[in-house]
Amino acid sequence: MKKLLPVLLLLAAPAMAQETQYQQPPAAIRDLLLAPPTPRVSLAGDGSVLAILAVQDFPTIAELSQPELRLAGLRLNPRTNGQSRVSYAVGMQFKRLPGGAETPVRDLPAQARISSPSWSPDNQHLAFTLTTPAAEGVGGRVELWVADVATNSARRLLATPLNDVFGTSFEWVSDSQSLLARTVPAGRGAAPAADATPTGPAVQETGSGKKSGARTYQDLLKNPADERTFEYYATAQLVRVKLADGSAQPLGQPGVLRTASPSPDGRYVLVRTAHRPFSYTLPISGFPQRIDVLDLATGSVVKTIADLPLADNVPTNFDAVPTGPRDHGWRTDAPATLSYAEAQDGGDPKVKADVRDKVYLLPAPFTGPAQELAALPLRYAGMTWGTDHLALVDGYRWADRHETTWQLDPATPGQPLKVLFDGSSQDTYHNPGSPVTRRNAQGRSVLRLAQSGQALYLMGQGASPEGDRPFVDELNLTTNKTTRLWRSEAPHYEIPAALFDGKKGQLQLLTRREAADQVPNYYLRELGKKGQPLALTHFANPYAAFGGSFRKQVLHYKRADGVALTANLYLPPNYKKTDGPLPTLMEAYPVEFKDKANAGQVSGSPYTFTRLSWASPVYWVTQGYAVLESATVPIVGEGTAEPNDTYTEQLVSSAKAAIDEGQRLGVVDPARVAVMGHSYGAFMTANLLAHSDLFKAGIARSGAYNRTLTPFGFQGEERTYWQAKSVYDAMSPFNYADKIKTPILLIHGEADNNSGTFPIQSERFYAALKGQGATARYVVLPAESHGYSARENLLHMLWEMDSWLDKYVKTPPAMN
């Protein structure tokens, strides 16, 4: 097999294409990227045990380059019949709370690949999947394993391999003695062979007069051979697995089982099955699907709840939905009652309607007519169940970013709704937080209540002008009075992770606590009790060898139209004011808003620990750069105006304001600034180079540059190309390739799977730049998706970026 290497397309004089060997960035950047990853944790529902999961390091390019099928919007590994790009845990420990030791779980295989951990309802076992990679002559598989808290040991539970193409291929039954699992059907035979000779063309046809636009999706089915292959790998057999001995009872018939969820009382299972006719323009989420309730004891069909058609006539608006019943699920606080929603406006938010959605209940045995629970003026966004007399329902409207939470009594369906929260989803300063849930005896999430059921708890990020200060509140549902129980205090940034009852009945709060110079760790505190929390984990600082932390300052400034902006300023570790202004790298990602005041609200915290992802610009403080990270770029359209109507003007104004503030502080040299971004940030980067002369260089990774290739909307833009041609044209840097005189580095993953950012976007943009004599370099990273992961590719990407910055920014040609 040919060794995978980055492909470089260079544009200079002369222009040429070449394949190069992998390169490595300076040692300081390399070592920061390869610093040990921080473990993950999973808390048992009753708060008694914390599972600590060691995290896999970056995979190698050989691992990333395993065979991959891209079908129906999915990516799967045919060798394992599972998902192809998974971030695994590689080890597991149990820690009994509060003061137990961290005990390794025994009997795991060497180099374990663990994913999808799930606690049993009684909190005595942790189930998970374990992926065995293919070896010489032996195929891989995804297996169902379980770890026993009492013995600190793990074992394979099911001999039959799981079908994990949709992920999370198992779920606990409420008895804690069995699980439902989707498995590879026995005796299914060999995978269908591709057609050596086509039997005819692939044909699609329209002509009904109905508009059926669709977003720009990747990895779609293309022909009958794809359909057969997809059906082969996606078809699963549902089984009930006994915890005691791993014996499996088949339930129902094999099918393309997207989900299978047992009822809280353990008597039924809700199954969602995709079926033909498949689509060549939509991913599997739009395929026809049948909703069935099975008897969990026999596997027979109790009731077919719905058989929904291909969703190819749904408007492209963000809050458009298919007609017919949708969002079926179990009511978590009842033995066996289904809930679902149904549009009353034809699924089209542009249709005037007093009632957008209705929510229905259908209790077992599912023979009677469904009961209308609530009529919503907004689009249904989900339920949070509590008791026989308390539930919360959420609704939203995209056009003005409006969201509402209502309180209702499930025992009296159809009653007027009581508004609990109402406002803009973008008004973070007034966000009341999210209701806190707990796991009940059946292992289902229900509201955690106080004051004999008259109050609930809320957790929120606590956005404020001084930064985020997460909190826990208690809300009395009768008086609507809120009492603050806890709030993060400087100089720490502390996030509430879970509330649970202590052994003596006191309320315990699990938090993740960090500071600018302290790596995040988990702590336990009693609500209402003063004093220092108890440290539960002691994760090491991954940057101890580099001084432990980075110099970070949150900047506050305004752009020309008065909108408040922020950016995180990072400086080299030994920088002194007398060193003067520095070459600078600015990174940003534009966000659309419908209100200037909301657009200017502060997010983030000055007290967070800076952990560098592969995508971070902060690496370059080690090379003598100032870094403006996460510079806010709000794109605002108030009233009837849409944000993108003045996209370019707001983009340039925001960038200029960030540079001006850095110059005012004396740390940014305005003659030596580069801009970078990923995805929509790459799109921003290209537009800034096309419409301003603020920068010496640009770095654009995995972007989209020609909006006519995403004609049914993109990012926060829901208008189509034909509704807003001038906007699409003005926002497409491809159209301004002749104006881009600043050197630009384009990087793209060869296997990008993100909607709209096909690699052809970078290919065509590079070709346009080449045709106009620009200075550009185009790097294709082998096997990478929209987010990059292979160690060799990441190191090479950082080398490319560092070389580009050194050449065109640190000492630009005109200054040599």
Side-chain angles (χ1 to χ4, degrees), residues 279-352:
S279 172
Y280 293 178
T281 60
L282 296 173
I284 188 172
S285 59
F287 287 8
Q289 56 184 319
R290 189 178 63 255
I291 313 297
D292 292 313
V293 173
L294 306 186
D295 186 304
L296 195 49
T298 66
S300 60
V301 176
V302 175
K303 176 79 171 181
T304 295
I305 304 298
D307 197 343
L308 305 174
L310 183 69
D312 62 346
N313 288 308
V314 180
T316 55
N317 306 84
F318 290 128
D319 43 2
V321 295
T323 56
R326 69 181 196 281
D327 296 334
H328 296 81
W330 294 113
R331 179 175 165 179
T332 57
D333 65 334
T337 296
L338 289 174
S339 69
Y340 63 89
E342 188 163 2
Q344 305 299 301
D345 57 1
D348 187 351
K350 297 298 184 183
V351 173
K352 291 184 178 181

Side-chain angles (χ1 to χ4, degrees), residues 40-172:
R40 304 170 187 151
V41 303
S42 177
L43 180 70
D46 63 356
S48 61
V49 183
L50 192 69
I52 301 173
L53 305 169
V55 179
Q56 177 190 39
D57 206 346
F58 297 116
T60 65
I61 186 62
E63 292 173 308
L64 189 65
S65 302
Q66 292 294 306
E68 180 178 69
L69 298 176
R70 302 166 189 172
L71 302 166
L74 304 173
R75 293 196 165 182
L76 58 98
N77 185 337
R79 293 180 176 176
T80 64
N81 218 110
Q83 295 179 314
S84 59
R85 296 168 186 261
V86 180
S87 176
Y88 296 106
V90 294
M92 183 186 300
Q93 296 177 314
F94 283 150
K95 178 182 177 66
R96 290 161 179 79
L97 303 186
E102 296 176 7
T103 307
V105 174
R106 295 180 287 105
D107 302 326
L108 286 168
Q111 299 179 332
R113 298 185 178 197
I114 299 166
S115 57
S116 304
S118 175
W119 287 97
S120 60
D122 65 4
N123 305 297
Q124 298 304 303
H125 295 86
L126 183 68
F128 56 92
T129 58
L130 192 144
T131 300
T132 303
E136 291 293 335
V138 180
R141 52 194 278 152
V142 181
E143 299 176 338
L144 178 59
W145 280 58
V146 65
D148 188 327
V149 172
T151 63
N152 287 303
S153 63
R155 60 187 169 94
R156 188 179 73 177
L157 184 60
L158 183 64
T160 305
L162 296 175
N163 186 323
D164 203 46
V165 298
F166 298 118
T168 315
S169 49
F170 67 91
E171 187 170 337
W172 284 97

Side-chain angles (χ1 to χ4, degrees), residues 396-440:
Y396 72 100
R397 181 175 56 232
W398 170 260
D400 56 358
R401 315 308 194 260
H402 192 86
E403 60 183 9
T404 303
T405 298
W406 296 275
Q407 176 186 339
L408 55 82
D409 182 352
T412 56
Q415 84 278 26
L417 298 171
K418 175 186 175 182
V419 174
L420 194 62
F421 308 126
D422 187 69
S424 169
S425 62
Q426 296 184 322
D427 183 6
T428 57
Y429 285 180
H430 298 96
N431 189 316
S434 300
V436 178
T437 61
R438 63 178 179 86
R439 287 217 311 170
N440 62 15

Side-chain angles (χ1 to χ4, degrees), residues 693-706:
D693 57 0
L694 296 170
F695 301 99
K696 280 293 182 182
I699 301 172
R701 297 188 310 228
S702 296
Y705 309 104
N706 183 347

